[in-house]
Amino acid sequence: SLHSIQNNNNKCENTTKNDRRGFMKKIVLSSAIAGLAVTSSAPSYSYAVERAVGGFEKTCREEGNCLEKLDIDGAVGWNWGGKDRCDPTDSRCGSDGVLRDEAPTGRAVPVTIDDNGNKLKVTNVVQIDISIGKAEKGSLNIGLYGEACPNSISQLKDFFVDNYYGGLLTTSKLMLEDGLGVQTTPVAFIKGGSLSKIYPQTRLDFGIPSQSVAYSKVKRLSKAPDNFVPQSRPESDKISIEKSGRSHNAAGLLSIPTNGLGYGGSGIESEDEAFASSFQITATSIPSMDNKESRKVVGQIIDQQSMDFLARLSSLPTQKGLKGILPGQNSGPPLVKVLVTSVSLSDIE
């Protein structure tokens, strides 16, 4: 009968969930026994850990007995069921998977003043157009501090070139003409650039995850040829000694690694992945980017509409993966498809 079929379906569903939850308990408990001190490579912040939570997790959290029941995913808030999470394409959907009453609004545009009260001159503006899902679009208009950080901005201007032929070149120009029996292309954000990681309500991390993948897409190939050579990390002598234009004391600031582009990861990435974390944009004040990460501010968002879009991007739900079982690990790639659709660079007279 229909009733018996429904009962059987419910039994199967419960069995699947129990098996899955039992499997995760074993993983988490064995991981805890193997190493109680887990060191995270992600920065720690003072903001609350927020995650989407499924039906089973909600029950134990309401009762306050997730740990007693060994519901590890409920204790740290890992979402198992998409049905309990709001639609990530809805602008009111928060990073915790809960539907808000209204879409987030951006903070005020940061003032163009350095830590000593001096005026910071914006010499160039880069516009990054981004789509969220199938319908939503927005732009980030970022001013560059060309006078305060000339070497860093010179490198960024190559990186933000608005055509598929230019970009940041660290290898011989002969390679571009296949003169050395290899294939390569300059690194440019328009070619394979993406929003690679979101730290909810805190910062956005942009870069080119793989130069070879970016090259194959531009050339419309299934994969990069065997003789493809990625651009190596640039020389950093001049950029490394250049001071930050200001502290990371506001939302909407453009931040790069101390040594410039290509040095944003752990340092053990291959050359192909060297630009995976190229630049970041703050969504709040983050002092640790100054005193712990030793990053530098080289620009800022210049209009309120971009600040509102920054708030939207930093509130997107993220793909937390296995890191979601560890407290504080709520960062990750956006859950919904986010694409960099165009990049344009202009000079300010």
Side-chain angles (χ1 to χ4, degrees), residues 113-116 118 120 145-150 152-153 238-250 253-259 282 286-287 289-291 293-300:
I113 303 293
D114 67 14
D115 297 347
N116 298 318
N118 300 317
L120 287 165
Y145 302 151
E147 289 189 355
C149 312
S152 299
I153 298 309
K238 293 182 178 180
I239 292 179
S240 63
I241 62 175
E242 199 167 63
K243 294 182 179 180
S244 177
R246 60 186 294 174
S247 299
H248 294 80
N249 56 4
L253 301 181
L254 174 66
S255 174
I256 65 171
T258 298
N259 293 330
T282 62
I286 313 177
M289 295 177 76
D290 296 309
N291 52 41
E293 301 174 47
S294 298
R295 297 178 64 89
K296 62 182 67 175
V297 178
V298 296
Q300 66 172 76

Side-chain angles (χ1 to χ4, degrees), residues 133-290:
K134 296 181 178 180
E136 188 175 357
K137 297 179 181 179
S139 300
L140 297 175
N141 292 309
I142 307 169
L144 306 180
Y145 302 151
E147 289 189 355
C149 312
N151 295 313
S152 299
I153 298 309
S154 177
Q155 186 184 70
L156 278 171
K157 287 170 67 176
D158 288 338
F159 186 69
F160 285 133
V161 68
D162 54 6
N163 62 73
Y164 285 89
Y165 303 101
L168 185 61
L169 182 66
T170 62
T171 59
S172 170
K173 290 184 178 180
L174 292 176
M175 290 187 179
L176 299 178
E177 302 171 1
D178 200 23
L180 299 179
V182 299
Q183 297 185 47
T184 189
T185 187
V187 179
F189 191 58
I190 189 63
K191 296 181 285 189
S194 67
L195 171 56
S196 54
K197 195 172 188 178
I198 297 173
Y199 296 87
Q201 292 87 47
T202 306
R203 67 170 100 176
L204 304 178
D205 196 347
F206 293 86
I208 301 173
S210 168
Q211 294 185 61
S212 59
V213 172
Y215 180 83
S216 63
K217 288 183 177 180
V218 170
K219 297 294 185 178
R220 298 183 179 180
L221 303 172
S222 59
K223 67 175 184 177
D226 294 337
N227 63 343
F228 174 78
V229 176
Q231 298 297 313
S232 58
R233 292 173 173 84
E235 294 290 335
S236 61
D237 294 345
K238 293 182 178 180
I239 292 179
S240 63
I241 62 175
E242 199 167 63
K243 294 182 179 180
S244 177
R246 60 186 294 174
S247 299
H248 294 80
N249 56 4
L253 301 181
L254 174 66
S255 174
I256 65 171
T258 298
N259 293 330
L261 303 183
Y263 297 89
S266 62
I268 62 174
E269 294 88 358
S270 66
E271 297 284 13
D272 185 60
E273 300 172 342
F275 297 88
S277 177
S278 294
F279 65 93
Q280 298 182 354
I281 301 178
T282 62
T284 187
S285 172
I286 313 177
S288 63
M289 295 177 76
D290 296 309

Side-chain angles (χ1 to χ4, degrees), residues 5 10 13 28 31 40-41 45 67 76 89 94 108-109 145 150 152 156 170 207 209 233 245 264 281 289 294 340 349:
I5 292 176
N10 291 335
E13 182 180 357
V28 175
S31 298
S40 169
S41 60
Y45 307 108
L67 290 177
V76 299
T89 62
V109 177
Y145 302 151
S152 299
L156 278 171
T170 62
R233 292 173 173 84
I281 301 178
M289 295 177 76
S294 298
V340 174
E349 297 296 337

Side-chain angles (χ1 to χ4, degrees), residues 103-146:
T105 56
R107 303 192 181 193
V109 177
V111 295
T112 52
I113 303 293
D114 67 14
D115 297 347
N116 298 318
N118 300 317
K119 180 73 173 179
L120 287 165
K121 183 177 181 180
V122 172
T123 57
N124 312 89
V125 173
V126 57
Q127 177 175 313
I128 303 175
D129 297 325
I130 297 173
S131 66
I132 302 175
K134 296 181 178 180
E136 188 175 357
K137 297 179 181 179
S139 300
L140 297 175
N141 292 309
I142 307 169
L144 306 180
Y145 302 151

